Amino acid sequence: MSFNLTLPDLEKRFLPPKNWKIKSFTNPETGHNIAYRTAFIDNAKAIVFCLPGLSEYSEKYIETTRFLNDHGYNIVVIDWAYQGLSTRFKENNHKRHSDGYEADLSDLHYLIKQEINSTLPHYMLVHSMGGHIGLRYMSEHPNIIQAASITAPMININALKYLCGTTKNIFSILTPIHTKYIVGGHDWSAKNRTNDGKDIFSSDLNRDQVHNAWCIKNPDLQVGSPTYKWLAETLKSICTLKAKETLQRIKVPLLVAYAGQEALIDNKAIKNTVNIMHNAELLNFENAKHEILMETDDVRDVFLKKTLELFKQSS
């Protein structure tokens, strides 16, 4: 796999540690070539599978990886299909396409059971769309993950929250244009984020710069807007996840954090979900924006402390 080894001009905490390895596999079920990163240490307590959000990439989680390594955990971070260094849309590799969330679940399961196949306890640390996929995975594979810590899970999206239940009509309408960008969509641009701690993603000036810094240094990480197929598949999967029977199959301990200044995700849906599930703790960060792990220290430190407590209690 080709990879641009030129590193962005960032603090050391945002740059790969010596044990950071870039790997990949081809899932025979989906045909996807999936990139992932590992950061393994000696005598690890457990393994943490980190599931990024929409259009993110593994390198964005290096600071968190360093933190968890320091506290005794092996880390695996996945690049979902159509983002990061994984399979891209042939027509235009900037388009964030989708083959359905069932394909993402298959890719994740192959990673966990075939590629990693570890006897250590399995935990998850997941964000936004990664939280959505992680919850569906734990519902469908109830005996693999021991606990999960989740930030801003994509239970529903503010712009789509009134559309669940209309999926058949949506699919029929969008099928002829499913490879096109959603309205207003375009290729990646650095202008999508202001990088000044004043956008909708993060209040932290330094962490808010990480996303664009890596994408500028390594254009292979750049992702543009979603396609209509991603939109339709996401709506379909949201309806699946929100079903009571889906959520009640998730028995493992969960820490679910949401941002008080959220602009993308439906916080009401998060609260309703936690009320349905058996063993979930809700954590509200009133002053945080969407990317809690890229937020200021006062937010991030509390979340990570609670995450460590969850993992310890679940061991």
Side-chain angles (χ1 to χ4, degrees):
M1 175 184 298
S2 63
F3 183 67
N4 182 351
L5 294 178
T6 303
L7 301 179
D9 184 19
L10 293 168
E11 296 175 36
K12 181 180 179 181
R13 59 181 164 139
F14 300 124
L15 299 178
K18 291 182 179 179
N19 63 340
W20 183 257
K21 306 295 182 184
I22 304 173
K23 303 178 181 181
S24 68
F25 64 90
T26 297
N27 180 357
E29 185 173 288
T30 64
H32 292 161
N33 184 264
I34 298 296
Y36 66 99
R37 321 293 192 274
T38 62
F40 288 176
I41 58 173
D42 293 333
N43 303 313
K45 304 172 188 176
I47 187 164
V48 179
F49 290 91
C50 183
L51 312 185
L54 177 67
S55 301
E56 293 188 325
Y57 50 86
S58 295
E59 281 69 25
K60 191 168 175 177
Y61 289 83
I62 285 175
E63 184 184 17
T64 299
T65 292
R66 287 177 174 272
F67 174 88
L68 290 171
N69 272 178
D70 289 345
H71 286 84
Y73 295 95
N74 283 342
I75 310 300
V76 177
V77 195
I78 188 173
D79 282 358
W80 301 114
Y82 303 110
Q83 62 188 60
L85 296 181
S86 292
T87 289
R88 291 298 187 103
F89 191 55
K90 292 181 180 179
E91 175 188 306
N92 177 351
N93 63 11
H94 279 232
K95 287 186 174 181
R96 198 353 178 137
H97 200 55
S98 175
D99 296 319
Y101 282 73
E102 288 71 24
D104 296 316
L105 290 165
S106 175
D107 292 338
L108 177 59
H109 191 59
Y110 193 95
L111 170 67
I112 293 173
K113 300 303 291 184
Q114 302 299 321
E115 280 291 299
I116 303 301
N117 192 26
S118 173
T119 58
L120 290 171
H122 289 19
Y123 302 134
M124 277 187 176
L125 178 62
V126 298
H127 172 63
S128 195
M129 188 189 73
H132 178 105
I133 298 171
L135 287 168
R136 285 201 58 188
Y137 185 84
M138 287 181 283
S139 177
E140 296 182 20
H141 301 279
N143 299 314
I144 294 176
I145 305 300
Q146 278 75 61
S149 188
I150 308 172
T151 61
M154 191 185 74
I155 309 299
N156 207 348
I157 299 172
N158 282 332
L160 304 179
K161 60 186 178 182
Y162 300 115
L163 294 179
C164 193
T166 64
T167 52
K168 289 184 179 179
N169 291 335
I170 293 293
F171 269 103
S172 63
I173 293 170
L174 297 183
T175 296
I177 57 171
H178 75 271
T179 63
K180 297 184 181 298
Y181 276 133
I182 59 173
V183 61
H186 50 76
D187 289 355
W188 183 88
S189 170
K191 295 179 181 179
N192 291 345
R193 301 177 69 113
T194 59
N195 293 317
D196 57 3
K198 297 179 182 179
D199 55 30
I200 63 174
F201 302 104
S202 169
S203 304
D204 188 275
L205 176 60
N206 292 315
R207 294 188 178 106
D208 201 23
Q209 297 181 46
V210 171
H211 189 99
N212 274 4
W214 275 100
C215 288
I216 291 169
K217 281 296 182 180
N218 182 8
D220 289 341
L221 298 175
Q222 296 174 3
V223 183
S225 305
T227 64
Y228 280 108
K229 183 65 158 41
W230 180 90
L231 178 66
E233 293 292 349
T234 297
L235 181 57
K236 177 183 175 183
S237 190
I238 283 172
C239 295
T240 298
L241 177 59
K242 288 176 66 179
K244 189 174 182 179
E245 58 269 23
T246 301
L247 296 172
Q248 288 188 333
R249 285 196 297 265
I250 304 171
K251 310 289 188 183
V252 303
L254 303 176
L255 176 66
V256 182
Y258 70 97
Q261 306 304 309
E262 180 65 70
L264 299 171
I265 302 302
D266 181 2
N267 279 341
K268 184 177 180 181
I270 294 175
K271 297 173 190 177
N272 290 342
T273 294
V274 169
N275 288 334
I276 293 172
M277 290 188 294
H278 296 274
N279 200 9
E281 177 185 355
L282 189 63
L283 193 59
N284 174 22
F285 290 104
E286 189 60 40
N287 296 319
K289 298 179 183 178
H290 180 60
E291 295 180 353
I292 290 172
L293 279 169
M294 305 302 286
E295 261 293 354
T296 52
D297 287 347
D298 59 321
V299 171
R300 186 175 178 275
D301 290 353
V302 171
F303 174 74
L304 287 174
K305 180 181 178 182
K306 295 282 287 185
T307 296
L308 291 177
E309 291 172 356
L310 173 72
F311 291 167
K312 183 177 181 181
Q313 293 165 3
S314 305
S315 61

